[in-house]
């Protein structure tokens, strides 16, 4: 399941990035060649950037590529390092779970109030759903990392 989620994350990131690039390029061409631009391009690009950032955070977690300062932690014993890492992953899981929960609440509110986007007048919940979707992927990745850290043996850490 972990590999499947990783592939889904990578595909979502690739599609969002390609679509953002093509849309932005087409808008620049339209602006300079035809002196007119697509009114919706900035709005869609912004929403896709949110999706890309959230799913990209999940992909970075999967690869353990989030920034960290380990100069002090590296001086500690394996057990203490493992406990600190597990605690950090647990906190990240709890934070992303809260983001998921409140993202769902936000989407429900957008649906209930009939909110629409400023430019395209599309239902806001369509793009608002990117927040709980991305938070779900982040939470799952940090949960996997937490479980990996808790079940790690000392021989694996050296």
């Amino acid at each position: 399941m972990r590999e499947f989620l990783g592939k889904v994350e990578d595909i979502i990131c690739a599609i969002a990035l390609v679509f953002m690039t093509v849309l932005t390029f087409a808008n620049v061409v339209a602006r300079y060649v035809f002196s007119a631009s697509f009114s919706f391009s900035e709005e869609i690009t912004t929403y896709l950037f949110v999706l890309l950032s959230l799913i990209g955070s999940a992909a970075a977690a999967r690869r353990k590529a989030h920034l960290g300062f380990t100069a002090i932690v590296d001086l500690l014993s394996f057990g203490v390092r493992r406990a600190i890492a597990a605690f950090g992953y647990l906190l990240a899981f709890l934070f992303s779970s809260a983001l998921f929960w409140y993202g769902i609440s936000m989407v429900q509110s957008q649906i209930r109030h009939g909110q629409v986007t400023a430019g395209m007048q599309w239902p806001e919940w369509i793009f608002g759903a990117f927040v709980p979707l991305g938070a779900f992927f982040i939470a799952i990745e940090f949960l996997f990392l937490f479980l990996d850290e808790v079940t790690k043996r000392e021989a694996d850490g050296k």
Side-chain angles (χ1 to χ4, degrees):
M1 176 167 158
R2 195 171 189 177
E3 288 182 24
F4 173 74
L5 287 175
K7 297 261 188 236
V8 170
E9 292 166 3
D10 291 344
I11 289 169
I12 291 173
C13 284
I15 290 171
L17 186 60
V18 166
F19 196 75
M20 287 171 58
T21 303
V22 168
L23 183 59
T24 302
F25 179 75
N27 192 42
V28 169
V29 169
R31 198 173 331 125
Y32 286 103
V33 174
F34 304 112
S35 296
S37 66
F38 304 124
S39 60
F40 58 88
S41 67
E42 183 178 338
E43 192 169 54
I44 288 180
T45 302
T46 300
Y47 289 126
L48 286 174
F49 184 73
V50 169
L51 177 65
L52 183 63
S53 297
L54 289 168
I55 300 295
S57 292
R62 180 173 18 101
R63 294 176 173 95
K64 295 184 180 182
H66 282 279
L67 293 177
F69 181 72
T70 63
I72 296 172
V73 176
D74 289 343
L75 299 174
L76 303 174
S77 69
F78 173 78
V80 175
R81 280 196 319 263
R82 187 173 88 173
I84 290 172
F87 182 69
Y89 293 143
L90 180 62
L91 284 179
F93 168 73
L94 293 173
F95 175 79
S96 53
S97 295
L99 186 61
F100 174 71
W101 178 261
Y102 287 111
I104 289 174
S105 178
M106 177 190 73
V107 170
Q108 289 172 336
S109 175
Q110 291 169 336
I111 292 170
R112 198 171 37 256
H113 292 103
Q115 290 177 289
V116 294
T117 61
M120 299 180 300
Q121 298 296 300
W122 285 12
E124 183 74 38
W125 68 265
I126 294 172
F127 301 109
F130 291 169
V131 173
L133 176 69
F136 170 78
F137 279 100
I138 296 169
I140 292 297
E141 292 296 346
F142 278 116
L143 178 61
F144 283 139
L145 287 171
F146 172 73
L147 294 174
D148 286 349
E149 201 63 43
V150 168
T151 60
K152 185 189 291 185
R153 292 200 173 101
E154 186 160 352
D156 296 337
K158 292 187 178 186

